[in-house]
């Protein structure tokens, strides 16, 4: 998934998610892990938006972070 914004903007979005949603990033990443097992980024984003009523930007940041961390685990 390509970002349409900078890495700094991504980090800024991530830092605001707990205050906006009331849930920590780790909770959101677990929700994606425990979700319906969708494979495409847009499907995961749409699922988060419908299931948890969060904005597209926050859902995209969560999915992108989930994918970054999953990729990092594979390299380790």
């Amino acid at each position: 998934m390509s970002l349409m914004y900078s890495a700094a903007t991504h980090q800024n979005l991530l830092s605001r998610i707990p205050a906006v949603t009331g849930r920590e990033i780790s909770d959101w990443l677990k929700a994606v892990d425990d979700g319906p097992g969708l494979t495409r980024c847009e499907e995961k984003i749409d699922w988060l938006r419908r299931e948890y009523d969060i904005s597209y930007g926050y859902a995209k940041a969560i999915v992108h972070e989930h994918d970054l961390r999953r990729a990092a685990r594979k390299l380790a």
Side-chain angles (χ1 to χ4, degrees):
M1 173 170 90
S2 65
L3 282 175
M4 300 305 283
Y5 47 79
S6 70
T9 300
H10 174 68
Q11 290 304 314
N12 188 20
L13 281 169
L14 288 180
S15 71
R16 288 188 282 163
I17 287 172
V20 171
T21 65
R23 295 178 70 174
E24 294 298 320
I25 295 298
S26 59
D27 294 337
W28 286 112
L29 298 176
K30 183 167 176 15
V32 175
D33 279 337
D34 295 344
L38 303 168
T39 56
R40 293 181 56 234
C41 293
E42 286 299 322
E43 290 174 332
K44 293 176 192 175
I45 293 167
D46 290 341
W47 174 76
L48 280 173
R49 293 182 68 205
R50 283 191 318 272
E51 188 73 19
Y52 297 101
D53 194 32
I54 61 174
S55 75
Y56 178 85
Y58 290 131
K60 183 175 179 178
I62 292 165
V63 170
H64 182 65
E65 186 67 16
H66 180 268
D67 290 347
L68 287 174
R69 291 184 187 195
R70 185 182 64 209
R73 282 192 307 264
K74 286 182 180 180
L75 292 176

